[in-house]
mmCIF file of all heavy atoms in Angstrom:
data_model
loop_
_atom_site.group_PDB
_atom_site.id
_atom_site.type_symbol
_atom_site.label_atom_id
_atom_site.label_comp_id
_atom_site.label_asym_id
_atom_site.label_seq_id
_atom_site.Cartn_x
_atom_site.Cartn_y
_atom_site.Cartn_z
ATOM 1 N N MET A 8 0.827 -1.182 0.000
ATOM 2 C CA MET A 8 0.000 0.000 0.000
ATOM 3 C C MET A 8 0.874 1.249 0.000
ATOM 4 O O MET A 8 0.737 2.098 -0.852
ATOM 5 C CB MET A 8 -0.914 -0.054 1.212
ATOM 6 C CG MET A 8 -1.592 1.236 1.532
ATOM 7 S SD MET A 8 -2.812 0.968 2.817
ATOM 8 C CE MET A 8 -2.654 2.471 3.700
ATOM 9 N N TYR A 9 1.770 1.378 0.952
ATOM 10 C CA TYR A 9 2.598 2.579 1.033
ATOM 11 C C TYR A 9 3.683 2.614 -0.036
ATOM 12 O O TYR A 9 4.132 3.681 -0.413
ATOM 13 C CB TYR A 9 3.242 2.697 2.420
ATOM 14 C CG TYR A 9 2.250 3.091 3.484
ATOM 15 C CD1 TYR A 9 1.887 2.215 4.486
ATOM 16 C CD2 TYR A 9 1.679 4.357 3.474
ATOM 17 C CE1 TYR A 9 0.975 2.579 5.457
ATOM 18 C CE2 TYR A 9 0.759 4.725 4.434
ATOM 19 C CZ TYR A 9 0.412 3.843 5.427
ATOM 20 O OH TYR A 9 -0.490 4.205 6.373
ATOM 21 N N LEU A 10 4.082 1.481 -0.535
ATOM 22 C CA LEU A 10 5.166 1.415 -1.506
ATOM 23 C C LEU A 10 4.844 2.188 -2.782
ATOM 24 O O LEU A 10 5.728 2.797 -3.376
ATOM 25 C CB LEU A 10 5.483 -0.042 -1.844
ATOM 26 C CG LEU A 10 6.676 -0.291 -2.743
ATOM 27 C CD1 LEU A 10 7.954 0.277 -2.108
ATOM 28 C CD2 LEU A 10 6.839 -1.767 -2.991
ATOM 29 N N ASP A 11 3.589 2.209 -3.162
ATOM 30 C CA ASP A 11 3.202 2.857 -4.411
ATOM 31 C C ASP A 11 2.694 4.285 -4.240
ATOM 32 O O ASP A 11 2.301 4.913 -5.215
ATOM 33 C CB ASP A 11 2.143 2.013 -5.117
ATOM 34 C CG ASP A 11 2.692 0.655 -5.523
ATOM 35 O OD1 ASP A 11 3.859 0.602 -5.956
ATOM 36 O OD2 ASP A 11 1.964 -0.345 -5.400
ATOM 37 N N MET A 12 2.708 4.800 -3.036
ATOM 38 C CA MET A 12 2.210 6.169 -2.832
ATOM 39 C C MET A 12 3.376 7.158 -2.824
ATOM 40 O O MET A 12 4.524 6.769 -2.606
ATOM 41 C CB MET A 12 1.381 6.266 -1.552
ATOM 42 C CG MET A 12 2.177 6.315 -0.260
ATOM 43 S SD MET A 12 1.196 6.357 1.272
ATOM 44 C CE MET A 12 -0.046 7.557 0.966
ATOM 45 N N PRO A 13 3.093 8.420 -3.073
ATOM 46 C CA PRO A 13 4.160 9.425 -3.022
ATOM 47 C C PRO A 13 4.789 9.494 -1.624
ATOM 48 O O PRO A 13 4.122 9.265 -0.612
ATOM 49 C CB PRO A 13 3.444 10.736 -3.349
ATOM 50 C CG PRO A 13 2.185 10.337 -4.048
ATOM 51 C CD PRO A 13 1.816 8.989 -3.476
ATOM 52 N N LEU A 14 6.058 9.792 -1.597
ATOM 53 C CA LEU A 14 6.779 9.859 -0.323
ATOM 54 C C LEU A 14 6.132 10.858 0.630
ATOM 55 O O LEU A 14 6.003 10.592 1.825
ATOM 56 C CB LEU A 14 8.249 10.234 -0.576
ATOM 57 C CG LEU A 14 9.141 10.366 0.654
ATOM 58 C CD1 LEU A 14 9.184 9.063 1.446
ATOM 59 C CD2 LEU A 14 10.545 10.779 0.240
ATOM 60 N N ARG A 15 5.700 11.991 0.124
ATOM 61 C CA ARG A 15 5.066 12.999 0.978
ATOM 62 C C ARG A 15 3.838 12.434 1.674
ATOM 63 O O ARG A 15 3.615 12.665 2.859
ATOM 64 C CB ARG A 15 4.699 14.240 0.181
ATOM 65 C CG ARG A 15 4.136 15.356 1.071
ATOM 66 C CD ARG A 15 3.850 16.630 0.312
ATOM 67 N NE ARG A 15 4.963 17.097 -0.482
ATOM 68 C CZ ARG A 15 5.986 17.822 -0.017
ATOM 69 N NH1 ARG A 15 6.048 18.141 1.244
ATOM 70 N NH2 ARG A 15 6.942 18.217 -0.832
ATOM 71 N N GLY A 16 3.031 11.657 0.958
ATOM 72 C CA GLY A 16 1.841 11.056 1.557
ATOM 73 C C GLY A 16 2.200 10.092 2.672
ATOM 74 O O GLY A 16 1.550 10.060 3.719
ATOM 75 N N TYR A 17 3.252 9.295 2.442
ATOM 76 C CA TYR A 17 3.703 8.370 3.484
ATOM 77 C C TYR A 17 4.166 9.142 4.706
ATOM 78 O O TYR A 17 3.808 8.809 5.845
ATOM 79 C CB TYR A 17 4.827 7.467 2.952
ATOM 80 C CG TYR A 17 5.430 6.602 4.040
ATOM 81 C CD1 TYR A 17 4.793 5.453 4.464
ATOM 82 C CD2 TYR A 17 6.622 6.966 4.660
ATOM 83 C CE1 TYR A 17 5.327 4.664 5.475
ATOM 84 C CE2 TYR A 17 7.161 6.188 5.664
ATOM 85 C CZ TYR A 17 6.518 5.040 6.072
ATOM 86 O OH TYR A 17 7.044 4.289 7.076
ATOM 87 N N LEU A 18 4.971 10.172 4.498
ATOM 88 C CA LEU A 18 5.482 10.957 5.624
ATOM 89 C C LEU A 18 4.359 11.670 6.370
ATOM 90 O O LEU A 18 4.399 11.768 7.600
ATOM 91 C CB LEU A 18 6.527 11.957 5.136
ATOM 92 C CG LEU A 18 7.809 11.340 4.572
ATOM 93 C CD1 LEU A 18 8.708 12.427 4.002
ATOM 94 C CD2 LEU A 18 8.533 10.517 5.618
ATOM 95 N N ASP A 19 3.355 12.152 5.629
ATOM 96 C CA ASP A 19 2.194 12.776 6.286
ATOM 97 C C ASP A 19 1.461 11.757 7.151
ATOM 98 O O ASP A 19 1.084 12.056 8.292
ATOM 99 C CB ASP A 19 1.239 13.368 5.246
ATOM 100 C CG ASP A 19 1.770 14.628 4.579
ATOM 101 O OD1 ASP A 19 2.753 15.220 5.093
ATOM 102 O OD2 ASP A 19 1.208 15.018 3.535
ATOM 103 N N ASP A 20 1.251 10.551 6.615
ATOM 104 C CA ASP A 20 0.585 9.509 7.398
ATOM 105 C C ASP A 20 1.424 9.103 8.607
ATOM 106 O O ASP A 20 0.887 8.843 9.688
ATOM 107 C CB ASP A 20 0.314 8.267 6.538
ATOM 108 C CG ASP A 20 -0.880 8.439 5.621
ATOM 109 O OD1 ASP A 20 -1.551 9.491 5.686
ATOM 110 O OD2 ASP A 20 -1.146 7.502 4.838
ATOM 111 N N LEU A 21 2.731 9.052 8.433
ATOM 112 C CA LEU A 21 3.611 8.669 9.531
ATOM 113 C C LEU A 21 3.532 9.683 10.676
ATOM 114 O O LEU A 21 3.577 9.314 11.844
ATOM 115 C CB LEU A 21 5.052 8.557 9.015
ATOM 116 C CG LEU A 21 6.095 7.997 9.969
ATOM 117 C CD1 LEU A 21 5.761 6.568 10.357
ATOM 118 C CD2 LEU A 21 7.471 8.059 9.334
ATOM 119 N N ALA A 22 3.381 10.958 10.336
ATOM 120 C CA ALA A 22 3.325 12.016 11.354
ATOM 121 C C ALA A 22 1.935 12.191 11.959
ATOM 122 O O ALA A 22 1.794 12.823 13.006
ATOM 123 C CB ALA A 22 3.785 13.340 10.739
ATOM 124 N N ALA A 23 0.926 11.634 11.317
ATOM 125 C CA ALA A 23 -0.456 11.824 11.768
ATOM 126 C C ALA A 23 -0.755 10.989 13.014
ATOM 127 O O ALA A 23 -0.021 10.052 13.351
ATOM 128 C CB ALA A 23 -1.421 11.447 10.649
ATOM 129 N N LYS A 24 -1.851 11.328 13.659
ATOM 130 C CA LYS A 24 -2.302 10.568 14.821
ATOM 131 C C LYS A 24 -3.065 9.343 14.321
ATOM 132 O O LYS A 24 -4.290 9.299 14.337
ATOM 133 C CB LYS A 24 -3.186 11.442 15.700
ATOM 134 C CG LYS A 24 -3.538 10.807 17.020
ATOM 135 C CD LYS A 24 -4.327 11.740 17.896
ATOM 136 C CE LYS A 24 -4.654 11.054 19.199
ATOM 137 N NZ LYS A 24 -5.459 11.916 20.057
ATOM 138 N N LYS A 25 -2.304 8.390 13.800
ATOM 139 C CA LYS A 25 -2.851 7.147 13.256
ATOM 140 C C LYS A 25 -2.004 5.991 13.767
ATOM 141 O O LYS A 25 -0.814 6.165 14.013
ATOM 142 C CB LYS A 25 -2.760 7.147 11.721
ATOM 143 C CG LYS A 25 -3.556 8.201 11.009
ATOM 144 C CD LYS A 25 -3.317 8.051 9.496
ATOM 145 C CE LYS A 25 -4.186 8.975 8.707
ATOM 146 N NZ LYS A 25 -4.004 8.776 7.253
ATOM 147 N N PRO A 26 -2.584 4.807 13.864
ATOM 148 C CA PRO A 26 -1.788 3.664 14.317
ATOM 149 C C PRO A 26 -0.823 3.130 13.250
ATOM 150 O O PRO A 26 0.129 2.442 13.567
ATOM 151 C CB PRO A 26 -2.835 2.611 14.667
ATOM 152 C CG PRO A 26 -4.027 2.969 13.842
ATOM 153 C CD PRO A 26 -3.995 4.474 13.705
ATOM 154 N N ALA A 27 -1.112 3.448 11.988
ATOM 155 C CA ALA A 27 -0.245 2.952 10.905
ATOM 156 C C ALA A 27 -0.075 4.054 9.870
ATOM 157 O O ALA A 27 -1.013 4.805 9.625
ATOM 158 C CB ALA A 27 -0.854 1.720 10.265
ATOM 159 N N PRO A 28 1.059 4.205 9.300
ATOM 160 C CA PRO A 28 2.249 3.402 9.476
ATOM 161 C C PRO A 28 2.888 3.670 10.833
ATOM 162 O O PRO A 28 2.636 4.704 11.461
ATOM 163 C CB PRO A 28 3.158 3.849 8.340
ATOM 164 C CG PRO A 28 2.799 5.264 8.120
ATOM 165 C CD PRO A 28 1.317 5.335 8.389
ATOM 166 N N GLY A 29 3.729 2.769 11.225
ATOM 167 C CA GLY A 29 4.393 2.903 12.512
ATOM 168 C C GLY A 29 5.874 2.639 12.391
ATOM 169 O O GLY A 29 6.467 2.733 11.317
ATOM 170 N N GLY A 30 6.449 2.270 13.510
ATOM 171 C CA GLY A 30 7.891 2.070 13.569
ATOM 172 C C GLY A 30 8.390 0.948 12.681
ATOM 173 O O GLY A 30 9.499 1.019 12.154
ATOM 174 N N GLY A 31 7.571 -0.078 12.481
ATOM 175 C CA GLY A 31 7.995 -1.193 11.636
ATOM 176 C C GLY A 31 8.197 -0.777 10.198
ATOM 177 O O GLY A 31 9.225 -1.081 9.580
ATOM 178 N N SER A 32 7.222 -0.070 9.649
ATOM 179 C CA SER A 32 7.369 0.337 8.252
ATOM 180 C C SER A 32 8.415 1.431 8.108
ATOM 181 O O SER A 32 9.148 1.469 7.116
ATOM 182 C CB SER A 32 6.032 0.788 7.648
ATOM 183 O OG SER A 32 5.615 2.025 8.172
ATOM 184 N N ALA A 33 8.531 2.300 9.101
ATOM 185 C CA ALA A 33 9.577 3.335 9.052
ATOM 186 C C ALA A 33 10.960 2.688 9.086
ATOM 187 O O ALA A 33 11.875 3.099 8.359
ATOM 188 C CB ALA A 33 9.411 4.322 10.211
ATOM 189 N N GLY A 34 11.114 1.658 9.903
ATOM 190 C CA GLY A 34 12.380 0.929 9.943
ATOM 191 C C GLY A 34 12.673 0.234 8.626
ATOM 192 O O GLY A 34 13.812 0.220 8.157
ATOM 193 N N ALA A 35 11.641 -0.333 7.999
ATOM 194 C CA ALA A 35 11.818 -0.997 6.709
ATOM 195 C C ALA A 35 12.218 0.009 5.634
ATOM 196 O O ALA A 35 13.059 -0.289 4.781
ATOM 197 C CB ALA A 35 10.544 -1.735 6.312
ATOM 198 N N VAL A 36 11.627 1.197 5.677
ATOM 199 C CA VAL A 36 11.994 2.242 4.715
ATOM 200 C C VAL A 36 13.467 2.611 4.887
ATOM 201 O O VAL A 36 14.215 2.705 3.905
ATOM 202 C CB VAL A 36 11.099 3.493 4.874
ATOM 203 C CG1 VAL A 36 11.663 4.684 4.112
ATOM 204 C CG2 VAL A 36 9.685 3.204 4.411
ATOM 205 N N CYS A 37 13.896 2.802 6.126
ATOM 206 C CA CYS A 37 15.301 3.142 6.384
ATOM 207 C C CYS A 37 16.230 2.026 5.920
ATOM 208 O O CYS A 37 17.271 2.284 5.307
ATOM 209 C CB CYS A 37 15.521 3.425 7.871
ATOM 210 S SG CYS A 37 14.723 4.929 8.436
ATOM 211 N N GLY A 38 15.849 0.786 6.174
ATOM 212 C CA GLY A 38 16.655 -0.344 5.727
ATOM 213 C C GLY A 38 16.718 -0.430 4.212
ATOM 214 O O GLY A 38 17.772 -0.702 3.632
ATOM 215 N N ALA A 39 15.584 -0.199 3.541
ATOM 216 C CA ALA A 39 15.554 -0.241 2.077
ATOM 217 C C ALA A 39 16.404 0.876 1.484
ATOM 218 O O ALA A 39 17.084 0.675 0.470
ATOM 219 C CB ALA A 39 14.115 -0.149 1.580
ATOM 220 N N LEU A 40 16.388 2.047 2.116
ATOM 221 C CA LEU A 40 17.245 3.142 1.654
ATOM 222 C C LEU A 40 18.716 2.770 1.790
ATOM 223 O O LEU A 40 19.521 3.001 0.879
ATOM 224 C CB LEU A 40 16.955 4.420 2.446
ATOM 225 C CG LEU A 40 15.641 5.118 2.147
ATOM 226 C CD1 LEU A 40 15.381 6.215 3.179
ATOM 227 C CD2 LEU A 40 15.633 5.684 0.755
#
């Protein structure tokens, strides 16, 4: 789901008061980078 969305959208969701995305996907993004 997040893989195909613009980076800005992912970062907005990451900063929002939402349960997902969370630390797991953020860690995976850092590892993939």
Side-chain angles (χ1 to χ4, degrees):
M8 166 172 144
Y9 287 112
L10 186 59
D11 296 321
M12 77 183 314
L14 179 59
R15 185 176 309 277
Y17 174 79
L18 295 175
D19 288 346
D20 282 357
L21 187 62
K24 188 176 180 182
K25 297 179 174 183
S32 71
V36 167
C37 291
L40 288 170

